[in-house]
Amino acid sequence: MNTQFNKFILSEHPLVKKDITVLRDKKTNSELFRAAVTRISNILAVEISQNFLLSETEVETPLETTQGFHLAQDVVLVPVLRAGLGMVNGFLQIIPDAKVGHIGLERDEQTLKPNQYYFKTPLNIPQSDVILLDPMLATGGSSSAAISFLKRQGAKDFAFACIIASPEGVKKLEADHPDVKIFGAALDRQLNDKAYILPGLGDAGDRTFGTL
Ligand code: PRP
Ligand code: URA
């Protein structure tokens, strides 16, 4: 569906809408929360990879040689720690040969700015399709900082996969990184005065890892 944003692509899949409801429900425990994040990630991975380029190859069946395909570029998944970790398995189930980098960012709850504490990414980032994973796009500070870092590592072909986005966050990312497509499972109403997404799902890291 087209929203008011140019670069935001909202999943319209009925199973995504069903699982967003599971994530929003405050009674959902961590086990069921992680399972719903994985299922949504499966669908986002299919939608994001739809435009990946292919190279032609030949494959020998037991009967004859025929045309086959492989992905033209490597795929690198980059979860933002911690909550982005919950999306990795769902993406790897669809793109099993993807490499995985990690970026550690934590929002300072006073300044609301991201603090960086860890980076480890594969060397072939410049030749890869890079997919940044973070379930929450709130102010956009964390994802914008992560994308800036990956660009400094040479990343060119980007997508950002989130589960819930705020209008404020999408606006910031479109301004800071107009080249990056954002794929989301829900576009919510607004941020509250602590920069939590409304209606949202609460703290994604805490709900994923049971640290409430
Ligand atoms: C959450 C979330 C994002 C960030 C989004 O992480 O996973 O990384 O907040 O907020 P922003 O768009 O305003 O930057 P958090 O800082 O809670 O860390 P955690 O995943 O370790 O819990
Ligand atoms: N981070 C979260 O985990 N949830 C929000 O609503 C905003 C930022």
Side-chain angles (χ1 to χ4, degrees):
M1 181 186 109
N2 288 326
T3 61
Q4 69 268 40
F5 298 109
N6 293 327
K7 297 288 174 178
F8 185 76
I9 297 143
L10 180 66
S11 176
E12 287 291 345
H13 203 294
L15 295 176
V16 166
K17 292 185 196 301
K18 181 213 68 155
D19 272 326
I20 284 285
T21 311
V22 173
L23 296 182
R24 290 196 196 282
D25 188 340
K26 65 181 183 188
K27 296 192 293 307
T28 299
N29 66 25
S30 292
E31 183 183 358
L32 297 178
F33 190 92
R34 286 194 296 268
V37 166
T38 297
R39 290 191 296 271
I40 291 174
S41 299
N42 287 157
I43 292 171
L44 290 178
V46 169
E47 292 178 350
I48 291 173
S49 55
Q50 218 149 18
N51 295 322
F52 280 179
L53 298 177
L54 293 172
S55 300
E56 289 184 12
T57 185
E58 285 192 338
V59 58
E60 284 183 34
T61 79
L63 302 173
E64 61 180 37
T65 301
T66 188
Q67 189 189 45
F69 300 95
H70 55 76
L71 290 180
Q73 300 206 115
D74 283 348
V75 178
V76 176
L77 307 174
V78 185
V80 177
L81 306 179
R82 282 176 306 166
L85 288 176
M87 299 175 74
V88 173
N89 278 348
F91 271 75
L92 283 176
Q93 285 163 355
I94 303 299
I95 316 169
D97 45 1
K99 296 185 167 64
V100 184
H102 294 86
I103 298 187
L105 290 173
E106 188 170 39
R107 263 190 351 175
D108 180 316
E109 294 300 335
Q110 306 304 321
T111 64
L112 301 178
K113 301 270 181 266
N115 282 330
Q116 155 193 333
Y117 60 87
Y118 185 77
F119 282 127
K120 184 90 176 177
T121 50
L123 289 176
N124 63 337
I125 283 247
Q127 296 82 34
S128 302
D129 281 305
V130 178
I131 308 177
L132 183 71
L133 308 177
D134 191 331
M136 305 309 277
L137 170 55
T139 64
S142 305
S143 40
S144 182
I147 292 167
S148 296
F149 168 76
L150 291 168
K151 284 184 174 172
R152 288 198 294 279
Q153 309 302 301
K156 292 187 286 289
D157 297 319
F158 258 117
F160 172 41
C162 62
I163 293 187
I164 300 194
S166 73
E168 296 90 334
V170 177
K171 212 165 153 191
K172 176 173 172 59
L173 272 198
E174 284 193 349
D176 291 357
H177 300 288
D179 52 318
V180 175
K181 279 191 188 157
I182 309 161
F183 291 79
L187 180 61
D188 275 7
R189 192 177 71 246
Q190 66 183 99
L191 298 178
N192 71 9
D193 58 4
K194 293 200 164 82
Y196 274 80
I197 300 175
L198 297 175
L201 52 73
D203 188 302
D206 285 342
R207 296 203 60 197
T208 303
F209 296 110
T211 46
L212 289 166

